[in-house]
């Protein structure tokens, strides 16, 4: 083999190895980007609570993910209406459309760009200080045992990746169903 042929072979091998190393590095960068996004991915859940007098009673929005969630859109569907927007509280209208007494609940309607840190929760609806009164507890039973409300939430991660949550307040357990039937018979 001539000296020029050996140099050409070595040059081609070096180019192939360089190209392979570049491809491998690119793949590692993509894996790292995916990992970084997943380590700060939020995961919102709507959590209805019916613990009874003295316990947690209401509708809570919880971030069980690893990063903050930034709420971009918030909608409540209830009964005969759809109530959307960020800012002014619209729970009184939504609860009225669901045939529930709004004065039994302390409300929290998200504002523009509301952040929810990982592990935190936002109280959307909870029984007021009158929670020991039977009529208000009955309203909560109607919320979590009947048709209740459905929330549609669009939120983003810190990487501006949109996610959607559509969840209802109904808790379909035999105990809640029995309690709901008792409340509705009164």
């Amino acid at each position: 083999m001539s000296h020029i042929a050996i140099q050409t072979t070595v040059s081609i091998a070096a180019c192939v190895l360089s190209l392979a190393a570049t491809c491998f590095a690119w793949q590692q960068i993509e894996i790292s980007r995916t990992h970084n996004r997943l380590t700060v991915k939020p995961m919102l859940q709507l959590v209805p609570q019916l613990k009874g007098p003295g316990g947690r009673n209401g509708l809570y929005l919880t971030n069980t993910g690893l990063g903050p969630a930034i709420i971009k859109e918030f909608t409540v569907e209830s009964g005969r209406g759809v109530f959307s927007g960020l800012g002014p509280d619209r729970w009184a209208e939504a609860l009225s459309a669901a045939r529930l007494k709004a004065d039994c609940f302390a409300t929290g309607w998200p504002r523009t760009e509301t952040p929810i840190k990982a592990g935190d929760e936002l109280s959307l609806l909870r029984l007021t200080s009158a929670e020991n009164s039977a009529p208000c507890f009955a309203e909560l039973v109607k919320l979590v045992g009947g048709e209740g409300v459905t929330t549609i939430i669009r939120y983003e991660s810190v990487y501006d990746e949109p996610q959607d949550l559509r969840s209802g307040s109904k808790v379909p357990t035999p105990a809640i169903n029995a309690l709901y039937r008792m409340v509705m018979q009164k």
Side-chain angles (χ1 to χ4, degrees):
M1 226 179 185
S2 74
H3 181 61
I4 294 175
I6 292 174
Q7 285 181 339
T8 304
T9 303
V10 170
S11 295
I12 291 172
C15 286
V16 168
L17 287 174
S18 295
L19 185 59
T22 301
C23 290
F24 180 74
W26 184 261
Q27 183 182 26
Q28 292 303 308
I29 288 170
E30 287 303 313
I31 289 170
S32 179
R33 283 183 183 159
T34 300
H35 177 266
N36 290 344
R37 279 186 162 72
L38 292 176
T39 59
V40 294
K41 183 177 182 178
M43 182 67 64
L44 292 183
Q45 292 183 338
L46 188 67
V47 183
Q49 297 277 332
L50 182 63
K51 301 292 184 181
R56 289 174 51 85
N57 297 296
L59 195 59
Y60 300 89
L61 185 60
T62 302
N63 184 356
T64 59
L66 300 174
I70 301 158
I71 298 177
K72 296 295 186 175
E73 296 175 24
F74 186 75
T75 301
V76 174
E77 296 175 350
S78 65
R80 304 163 298 227
V82 176
F83 308 91
S84 296
L86 295 169
D89 193 325
R90 305 215 36 214
W91 276 117
E93 299 167 84
L95 292 170
S96 177
R99 296 182 181 93
L100 297 168
K101 295 178 185 171
D103 59 346
C104 283
F105 297 95
T107 62
W109 191 275
R111 302 208 179 282
T112 304
E113 304 282 319
T114 298
I116 302 176
K117 294 188 297 186
D120 278 2
E121 72 180 9
L122 175 66
S123 172
L124 297 177
L125 289 173
R126 62 182 169 79
L127 285 182
T128 62
S129 58
E131 68 182 65
N132 292 328
S133 68
C136 283
F137 190 73
E139 293 300 302
L140 181 61
V141 170
K142 291 178 194 176
L143 177 70
V144 299
E147 288 182 30
V149 299
T150 299
T151 61
I152 300 109
I153 303 167
R154 171 154 287 210
Y155 61 100
E156 292 181 352
S157 71
V158 294
Y159 285 105
D160 296 327
E161 295 173 324
Q163 296 181 66
D164 293 311
L165 169 68
R166 181 181 182 92
S167 187
S169 63
K170 184 170 176 62
V171 179
T173 65
I176 299 288
N177 290 340
L179 194 55
Y180 177 71
R181 284 192 300 276
M182 285 176 30
V183 165
M184 296 309 289
Q185 288 176 355
K186 290 183 180 181

